[in-house]
Amino acid sequence: MKLLAINGSPRKKWNTAQLLEQVVAGAQEKGAEAELVHLRDLKYTGCVSCFSCKKIGGPSYGRCVLKDDLRPVLDKAHAADVLVLGTPFYICAESAFMRAFEERLWFQYLLYSNVKPPLSPRKKATALVYTMNVKQEEMAVYGKDHIVATAKRLMERQFGPCEVLLSCDTLQFEDYSQYDTDMWDEQAKRQRHNTVFQQELKDARALGQRLVS
Ligand SMILES: Cc1cc2nc3c(=O)[nH]c(=O)nc-3n(C[C@H](O)[C@H](O)[C@H](O)COP(=O)(O)O)c2cc1C
C-alpha cells in the first residue's frame, strides 16, 4: 500500500506541509509506504497543450509526454494506491505550483468522449487538503467552495472516493507586526492556531490512517 502526498505550498514547514506530514505519519502508522513531495523543489511547467496524451496509437497515449521534474512524480501518482493533494488558496485558486501539477495529472487521463471512461487508474483512495486565510463561512463569497467541489469531482471521476480536509483562518506569519497588514486579528489567529489547527493536525493523521485502511 503506497500513499503519495503532494505539497503545493512553497513553504515546506507551514500549515499545508504540517497537515500533509500528519497524513503521511498516519499512513505509516498503519504500515503503509508514504511519501511527501514538495512541488517547490521541482522545475516543471503546466500542460503545454501538445495533445500527445490524446494521440490515437501514440507512444504516450494516456500519459503526459513532457520530460521535466514532474515526470517521476506523475509516475508515482499513477502507481500510488492513495493520492493526497494539498494546497493553500492563492488569489482564490490553488497555488500555481498545484495548478500546474493538476493540469498535468488530470489532463493526461481526460478523454474528449461522452461514452468512454477516463484513462486513469480508477481505483485510488484520494483526498484534498486546502488551507486558507479566510474563515470557512467566507469560502463561498470568494468562490472557493466551487473550486473545492470541482477538484473533488475530478478526483472522484478519475480515481475514486475523495475526502476533503479544510483548514481555514490559518496563521500566516510568525510575527504579524513585521508586515503591512491590518486585516487580521493576530491574537485570534494565534488562538485558533493553538486550538483548532492542533485538532486539524489530528484529523489529518486520522485521515492518513483511514485512507490506507
Ligand atoms: C500569494 C498568496 C495569495 C493568497 N491568496 C489567498 C486567498 O485568495 N484566499 C485566502 O483565504 N488566503 C490566501 N492566502 C493565504 C494562504 O492561503 C494561507 O496563509 C495558507 O494557509 C498558506 O499556506 P502555507 O502556510 O502552507 O504556506 C494567500 C497567500 C499568498 C502567499
Side-chain angles (χ1 to χ4, degrees):
M1 177 68 72
K2 281 191 189 158
L3 178 146
L4 180 69
I6 309 284
N7 179 23
S9 170
R11 302 201 293 179
K12 290 160 70 173
K13 289 283 161 209
W14 276 77
N15 299 280
T16 317
Q18 285 177 33
L19 290 163
L20 293 173
E21 278 169 7
Q22 289 302 312
V23 171
V24 164
Q28 287 169 338
E29 265 165 20
K30 290 284 175 187
E33 265 181 61
E35 184 185 357
L36 175 56
V37 171
H38 298 283
L39 292 177
R40 195 217 165 118
D41 292 340
L42 310 176
K43 291 216 177 339
Y44 62 97
T45 67
C47 174
V48 297
S49 200
C50 69
F51 300 114
S52 298
C53 60
K54 320 254 169 277
K55 189 142 197 193
I56 299 162
S60 198
Y61 182 71
R63 303 298 297 276
C64 180
V65 77
L66 293 183
K67 290 185 175 48
D68 58 15
D69 288 358
L70 221 49
R71 185 62 188 260
V73 185
L74 291 172
D75 287 345
K76 282 181 188 174
H78 190 82
D81 304 294
V82 181
L83 182 60
V84 182
L85 309 186
T87 182
F89 266 101
Y90 274 7
I91 323 289
C92 299
E94 299 90 348
S95 72
F97 287 103
M98 178 53 73
R99 187 61 197 167
F101 174 78
E102 287 174 346
E103 284 176 6
R104 299 270 299 277
L105 175 76
W106 290 335
F107 194 67
Q108 61 182 344
Y109 298 134
L110 193 148
L111 274 183
Y112 289 128
S113 168
N114 291 322
V115 287
K116 293 187 202 161
L119 300 169
S120 44
R122 292 187 303 151
K123 51 180 174 4
K124 292 186 203 305
T126 69
L128 295 165
V129 175
Y130 289 93
T131 72
M132 67 206 85
N133 238 332
V134 298
K135 296 187 167 68
Q136 190 161 353
E137 59 270 24
E138 296 166 325
M139 285 182 72
V141 179
Y142 300 101
K144 293 184 169 77
D145 55 341
H146 176 69
I147 286 171
V148 173
T150 302
K152 180 171 157 57
R153 204 164 46 243
L154 264 154
M155 292 291 267
E156 286 179 339
R157 176 153 170 72
Q158 295 207 336
F159 302 117
C162 180
E163 294 203 42
V164 175
L165 180 71
L166 301 175
S167 179
C168 302
D169 201 8
T170 52
L171 187 73
Q172 194 171 13
F173 308 112
E174 207 70 79
D175 178 0
Y176 279 68
S177 69
Q178 290 188 25
Y179 302 96
D180 191 3
T181 162
D182 56 30
M183 271 179 83
W184 316 110
D185 177 344
E186 180 175 359
Q187 287 296 94
K189 284 267 187 197
R190 213 163 281 287
Q191 164 75 6
R192 188 199 171 284
H193 185 77
N194 293 335
T195 54
V196 180
F197 186 69
Q198 301 312 308
Q199 180 56 48
E200 288 166 352
L201 291 174
K202 290 184 185 148
D203 294 345
R205 202 174 188 103
L207 173 65
Q209 293 172 346
R210 207 163 51 243
L211 285 169
V212 298
S213 296

